[in-house]
Amino acid sequence: MADRDELQAFTSIMDALVRISTSMKNMERELLCPVCNEMYKQPVILPCKHNVCQVCATEILLQRGYMCDPNSEPNSPASSPATRSPRMGRRVVPKQERLLKQGFGTYPGRKRGASHPPAVLFPCPPCQCDVDLGERGLGNLFRNLTLERVVERYRQTVNISSAIMCQFCKPPQLEATKGCTECRATFCNECFKLYHPWGTQKAQHEPTPPTLTFKPKGLMCPDHKEEVLLYCKTCQRLVCQICRVRRNHNGHKITPIISAYQALRDKLNKSLSYILGSQHIVQGQISDLEESMRQTEVSGARAQEEVLQLIGALRSALEEKQATLTRTIAERQKDRHNVLEAQVWERQALLENSGLVSYSQEVMKETDQPCFVLVAKQIHERMQRAIEGVQSFRPAACAPLPPFKLDVSREMKLLTDLHFVRAPDAPVIDTQRTYAYDHIFLSWRLPQDSAPAWHYTVEFRKTDPKHKGLKLWQRQEEIWGLSTVLKGPDTDSVYVLKVKGYNKAGYGEYSEDIYLHTPPAQVLNFFLDSSCGFPRDRLVVSKDRRAVRSVPGVPMLFAAERLMTSCHVSMELVLGDVAITQGRYYWECSVDPSSYVLKVGVGQESKLQELFQMPQDMVSPRYDPDSGHDSGAEDATLDMSPAFAFLTIGMGKILQSHGSLPNSRDPTGCTIPLPPRLGVCLDYEKGRVGFYDAVSHRSLWEGSVDCSGPVCPAFCFIGGGALQLQELVSIKHERKVTIGGFTKAE
C-alpha cells in the first residue's frame, strides 16, 4: 500500500514537472527575436508594439544605409553600431560618412530652423511592413526591461547553458570573461576592449565577473535621460517631467504612472482570467478542429476512391483525365488540411500551457511599474484579439470536403470536358423583399455564376440577448422555390436566418446571416372603411380597400384664391374598419413621398367623426400652418390625454414638432426623412401610441391617447397624397411553401 502511494505521488510530481516543462517550452516562442531567431538580447519596443534585439535592429538599419551618430552617448554598448565585434569584422565609418544619412538621429552643427531630415523606416518582420521610428531612429525607443527579466528567469528555469556567453559576438558566441555594471552586459576579452576604448569615459568602467543578473535602475527617457514617472494617454507613451512641459505634449492628458500601471494591470489580469477560465472552450474548439481534419481526410479519401471507380470503367479513354482530377482532389484536400491545421495551432496558443499565457503570467510578476506599463499594453492587445477569436470562433473551413461527383452521362466525345459537379454557391438573401410582419417572408437568389440548385434548406433561430447560450437552429428542408414563409414568430424578437442550396454535388455554403426584428405587438389586420362619408371625388379607395389616394380637385383652387386673406384648409379623413377596445396591436403602411400633407395615427372614433362632420372647406381657427401642431393639440392641454394622436408627414419628410415649436428659419432641424414603411403600435390599456421606422424598428415618436372609448386607425389628407396598407404575409404569399413542423438542426 505504501509503495502504491509513493508511486502515485511520484507520478503526480512527474506530471507536474512535464506540465511546467511544456509551459516553459511553449513560452520560448515568445522569447525569440524575429530577426536572429534567438533569445532576446537588450530588446527594444518598436512603435508597432513588437520587440527586436537592439543589435539586430542596428544591423538592419546599417544594411539600409542609415548610420549612427558617434557623438551621442548610447544607453548600452549595443546602441553603437559604428563598430562591431572583431569576430564580425570591424566597420570603420569614415568621418565624411559620420554626418548621418537619411536623418538617423540628430547630428552636431545642425542649424536652427533647418528642414528636418526624413524619418527612419525600420522593416518590422512580424508586421511585414516599414515602421516609422521618427527622426532619431533607435534613440527614440525604450528598452524592454521586463522582457529582459522574463528571458533571464526563463534561462535560469530551463538551464539553457551553464556558461555565460558574450552578448556582442556573432554566433558561435564566445564565453564571457567580463561583465560591466554600468553597461549592464557581459563581454569576451575582445568585445570588452572594443566597447571600452582608452581615452573615453567608458574606459573608467570597472570590469566584474560575468553574470546575467544585472538589475537596471529603471526606464529612462530616451530624450532627456530622466526617469519616466508619467504616462501620456494621448500619445500612449511613457514620459518624464521634462517631456510634460515640452510643446510635444502640450494639452495632452498626462497621468501618474501608478494610474496607468493599475489600469493596465487590471485589464491584463481580467483578460488573463478569461483565457484561463475558458480552457474548456478552447480545448473543445481544438477537438472540433481535429475532428474536422479527420473528416477531411476521410471525405478526401472517399472522393478519390469514387473518382478512381468512375474513371476505371472508362480507363482507356480517361487515363490523362484521371491524373488531373486526382491531383485536383489532393490539392483541395491539402489546402483544407493546411487551413484547419493553422487554426488548430492558433487555438493551441490559447491553452493554459501555451507561450502567450505563460509569458503573460511571467509579465504579471513584474513589479516595476514603468516597465510593466510599457509591455502590458502590447500583451493586452494580443489578449483582446485572442478573446475575440475565442468568442467569435468559427472553423476556417467546413469539416468535410465538398463531394466530388463526376458527370459520366455524356457521350465519349464529351469526356475531354469532364469536370466536377459544383455545389451551389452561397445564396444571396434579397433584403428588399425579405421582411417580418405577421409572419416572416424570406426571399433569396443564387449568384450569377453559381451552379443550379435542386432545392434549398432554410435554418433559423431566435436570439436572446439576455442569455448567452445560443438556441438550437430550426430547419426546413426541400424548399423548391426562391422564397418561403416562416409562420408564427414571437413578437418583439430578433431572428437570425440563413439558407443553402443542394444539388447532385451536395449542399453548398450557407448564405450570410440576416437578422429580422419582428413587430412589437400582434399585427392588426384591417381595411379602409369606405362608409365613413368621405367625398368620393377627392378620396379614391382601391378595390381591395388597402390603398387610398387623395385628389386635391377644385377646393384646393379656391384655397389658393383665398390664400392671401385667410388660412383655408381642406382636410379629408379615412378610418380603419376595426375599432380597438383592448390589447396591444401593431400595423404598418407606406406613404407616397410626394404626398403634400398626410397624417397617420389613431383616435377615438366618435371624436374623429364629430370633428370631421364640419364643412369640408372652411377657414379653421384650429389649424395654424405656422404652429407645427395638429388640430387636436390645443384640446390636449385641457385633458390628460388627447382624443387622437397623429404623425405629420409631408413632401418626403416627417415633422418632429411634438414637445417644441419648430423654427421656421431652420426647418431641417425638426424633420427626418420618410422611411419606406411606417409602423404604428397602440397599447390600449396604457393609453400609449408609438410610431416606428418599420424597416429598422427605430422609434420615431411616442405619445398618449385617450382610450376611454373605441380607438381606430385614422388617416388624414391635406392636399394630394397616397397611402398603402401593408398586406399580411399570410395573404400576400399564401401560395408559397410555409414552415409547418420544425426540426432541430443537427
Side-chain angles (χ1 to χ4, degrees):
M1 186 67 179
D3 294 341
R4 183 182 302 175
D5 294 340
E6 291 179 358
L7 180 60
Q8 291 179 353
F10 177 76
T11 303
S12 300
I13 293 174
M14 292 302 296
D15 291 341
L17 291 176
V18 169
R19 287 195 299 269
I20 295 175
S21 177
T22 303
S23 176
M24 297 303 292
K25 286 295 183 181
N26 289 335
M27 189 179 67
E28 183 176 346
R29 290 181 297 187
E30 301 287 335
L31 307 180
L32 297 179
C33 173
V35 178
C36 62
N37 204 28
E38 296 181 1
M39 290 287 183
Y40 284 109
K41 294 183 282 292
Q42 296 183 350
V44 293
I45 299 182
L46 300 173
C48 59
K49 308 303 181 186
H50 291 126
N51 298 283
V52 66
C53 296
Q54 192 168 14
V55 175
C56 297
T58 304
E59 185 66 23
I60 290 176
L61 291 177
L62 283 173
Q63 294 175 0
R64 284 202 161 196
Y66 297 108
M67 298 183 184
C68 298
D69 181 9
N71 296 323
S72 61
E73 183 68 19
N75 295 328
S76 68
S79 58
S80 299
T83 57
R84 301 303 300 268
S85 169
R87 304 182 69 250
M88 296 177 62
R90 180 165 180 170
R91 178 188 177 97
V92 180
V93 182
K95 293 183 178 179
Q96 292 82 359
E97 295 183 10
R98 295 194 178 188
L99 291 179
L100 304 179
K101 176 184 177 182
Q102 299 293 331
F104 181 71
T106 57
Y107 52 87
R110 177 177 170 181
K111 295 182 180 180
R112 184 181 300 273
S115 61
H116 291 275
V120 177
L121 299 178
F122 180 82
C124 176
C127 295
Q128 297 183 352
C129 62
D130 289 341
V131 178
D132 188 356
L133 302 184
E135 179 186 340
R136 299 183 63 247
L138 296 180
N140 198 36
L141 303 180
F142 283 101
R143 279 183 60 180
N144 195 340
L145 300 181
T146 298
L147 180 55
E148 291 187 41
R149 296 183 182 117
V150 173
V151 170
E152 179 62 28
R153 288 198 295 267
Y154 176 80
R155 289 179 178 274
Q156 294 175 357
T157 302
V158 300
N159 193 18
I160 290 180
S161 176
S162 59
I164 300 176
M165 310 305 292
C166 175
Q167 294 179 317
F168 303 98
C169 287
K170 183 178 180 181
Q173 295 173 305
L174 295 178
E175 185 175 351
T177 58
K178 294 182 176 62
C180 181
T181 305
E182 297 292 333
C183 298
R184 300 188 295 277
T186 56
F187 304 85
C188 62
N189 288 330
E190 294 180 351
C191 291
F192 187 84
K193 293 178 182 179
L194 177 64
Y195 287 103
H196 297 80
W198 291 103
T200 64
Q201 184 178 1
K202 291 186 178 181
Q204 302 176 6
H205 294 180
E206 292 292 334
T208 61
T211 180
L212 295 177
T213 58
F214 296 113
K215 296 182 179 180
K217 298 179 181 180
L219 283 177
M220 308 298 289
C221 176
D223 297 327
H224 309 108
K225 309 307 178 192
E226 294 284 340
E227 186 176 2
V228 289
L229 300 175
L230 303 170
Y231 182 76
C232 178
K233 289 186 176 181
T234 305
C235 301
Q236 297 185 355
R237 179 179 175 86
L238 296 169
V239 295
C240 65
Q241 293 288 355
I242 300 178
C243 293
R244 181 178 185 177
V245 299
R246 290 297 177 91
R247 183 185 305 173
N248 292 342
H249 298 278
N250 185 25
H252 290 186
K253 189 174 183 180
I254 298 178
T255 61
I257 194 65
I258 182 64
S259 301
Y261 168 82
Q262 191 61 44
L264 284 174
R265 188 178 184 87
D266 292 343
K267 290 181 180 179
L268 184 57
N269 187 43
K270 185 177 180 180
S271 300
L272 189 59
S273 299
Y274 180 86
I275 290 294
L276 294 176
S278 304
Q279 294 300 295
H280 64 286
I281 299 177
V282 178
Q283 192 63 52
Q285 294 173 353
I286 292 177
S287 300
D288 294 341
L289 292 172
E290 291 175 346
E291 177 63 21
S292 298
M293 294 171 60
R294 188 193 66 80
Q295 293 182 11
T296 300
E297 295 287 348
V298 172
S299 60
R302 185 185 300 114
Q304 290 194 23
E305 181 180 357
E306 184 174 337
V307 168
L308 292 176
Q309 290 178 355
L310 293 173
I311 298 298
L314 305 171
R315 177 72 61 185
S316 58
L318 300 178
E319 288 292 337
E320 182 178 357
K321 196 69 177 181
Q322 175 185 340
T324 303
L325 296 176
T326 305
R327 183 170 57 254
T328 301
I329 295 174
E331 290 176 354
R332 294 186 184 180
Q333 176 183 343
K334 181 179 179 181
D335 293 342
R336 185 69 58 86
H337 185 277
N338 292 339
V339 171
L340 294 173
E341 186 177 18
Q343 200 170 13
V344 169
W345 187 89
E346 293 177 359
R347 299 297 104 179
Q348 289 176 344
L350 303 179
L351 292 176
E352 184 174 1
N353 296 330
S354 67
L356 177 59
V357 174
S358 301
Y359 176 46
S360 302
Q361 291 173 334
E362 290 295 323
V363 171
M364 292 295 294
K365 300 176 183 179
E366 178 62 56
T367 58
D368 190 325
Q369 298 176 1
C371 297
F372 179 84
V373 170
L374 188 65
V375 73
K377 187 172 183 61
Q378 169 198 5
I379 305 178
H380 179 256
E381 291 177 355
R382 297 180 62 185
M383 282 290 186
Q384 288 298 112
R385 291 194 296 268
I387 291 173
E388 293 176 359
V390 172
Q391 293 176 342
S392 60
F393 170 75
R394 187 175 182 180
C398 294
L401 284 173
F404 295 86
K405 300 289 184 179
L406 289 178
D407 185 2
V408 296
S409 61
R410 297 176 181 273
E411 294 78 359
M412 292 295 293
K413 63 180 180 179
L414 300 178
L415 288 177
T416 54
D417 298 328
L418 192 64
H419 61 277
F420 288 113
V421 178
R422 293 189 300 114
D425 294 342
V428 179
I429 294 180
D430 189 348
T431 56
Q432 299 296 325
R433 300 185 59 204
T434 298
Y435 65 99
Y437 199 41
D438 57 322
H439 303 311
I440 295 178
F441 177 72
L442 180 64
S443 176
W444 62 87
R445 58 178 174 81
L446 283 176
Q448 183 176 2
D449 298 330
S450 172
W454 293 353
H455 55 76
Y456 299 89
T457 295
V458 172
E459 294 188 8
F460 67 97
R461 67 183 176 189
K462 178 182 174 182
T463 61
D464 191 352
K466 297 181 180 179
H467 300 87
K468 294 183 179 179
L470 295 177
K471 295 186 177 181
L472 294 178
W473 288 94
Q474 293 179 311
R475 171 189 299 172
Q476 185 188 12
E477 299 177 340
E478 296 188 1
I479 300 174
W480 301 95
L482 294 177
S483 63
T484 188
V485 174
L486 281 69
K487 289 187 175 181
D490 296 337
T491 58
D492 200 14
S493 302
V494 177
Y495 283 82
V496 55
L497 306 95
K498 59 184 179 181
V499 61
K500 63 179 179 181
Y502 176 85
N503 61 10
K504 186 176 182 180
Y507 283 103
E509 298 291 336
Y510 277 106
S511 65
E512 294 186 1
D513 295 348
I514 183 173
Y515 291 82
L516 294 179
H517 197 296
T518 57
Q522 179 182 350
V523 174
L524 178 67
N525 182 30
F526 66 94
F527 299 92
L528 298 176
D529 190 356
S530 59
S531 62
C532 62
F534 56 82
R536 304 286 177 173
D537 59 334
R538 303 180 193 174
L539 292 179
V540 180
V541 178
S542 62
K543 292 182 179 180
D544 60 0
R545 295 165 53 198
R546 289 191 175 274
V548 59
R549 181 168 53 91
S550 174
V551 182
V554 177
M556 286 300 294
L557 297 179
F558 289 113
E561 179 69 20
R562 296 192 293 267
L563 183 62
M564 300 302 297
T565 59
S566 65
C567 179
H568 184 89
V569 177
S570 176
M571 304 179 68
E572 316 296 349
L573 176 67
V574 181
L575 301 179
D577 64 350
V578 174
I580 302 172
T581 57
Q582 63 178 359
R584 191 164 181 257
Y585 293 94
Y586 174 86
W587 61 92
E588 295 178 0
C589 64
S590 302
V591 177
D592 187 352
S594 62
S595 299
Y596 184 65
V597 175
L598 194 153
K599 293 176 178 289
V600 177
V602 297
Q604 289 190 20
E605 183 177 6
S606 59
K607 296 289 185 180
L608 289 172
Q609 293 285 6
E610 178 183 351
L611 174 65
F612 284 89
Q613 281 178 357
M614 65 181 65
Q616 297 297 319
D617 299 295
M618 62 175 294
V619 178
S620 175
R622 302 170 60 81
Y623 180 84
D624 181 359
D626 295 330
S627 68
H629 296 270
D630 62 22
S631 59
E634 292 84 351
D635 296 339
T637 60
L638 300 177
D639 302 329
M640 292 300 295
S641 298
F644 48 86
F646 288 102
L647 187 69
T648 303
I649 304 164
M651 306 305 294
K653 300 290 185 180
I654 295 178
L655 179 63
Q656 289 186 314
S657 59
H658 300 279
S660 62
L661 292 178
N663 186 354
S664 59
R665 296 183 179 179
D666 184 19
T668 59
C670 57
T671 61
I672 58 175
L674 174 66
R677 299 197 313 274
L678 285 175
V680 183
C681 183
L682 173 65
D683 192 328
Y684 190 87
E685 279 72 19
K686 294 183 179 180
R688 303 291 295 178
V689 60
F691 298 88
Y692 299 87
D693 178 346
V695 177
S696 64
H697 281 264
R698 177 174 57 94
S699 178
L700 301 176
W701 177 72
E702 183 178 353
S704 59
V705 64
D706 185 6
C707 293
S708 59
V711 177
C712 61
F715 310 95
C716 179
F717 290 86
I718 303 176
L723 177 139
Q724 173 75 47
L725 296 180
Q726 180 65 40
E727 191 174 10
L728 297 182
V729 175
S730 57
I731 298 177
K732 185 175 182 180
H733 305 283
E734 59 184 358
R735 63 183 181 277
K736 301 295 183 180
V737 178
T738 59
I739 291 182
F742 298 140
T743 60
K744 295 181 179 179
E746 298 179 358

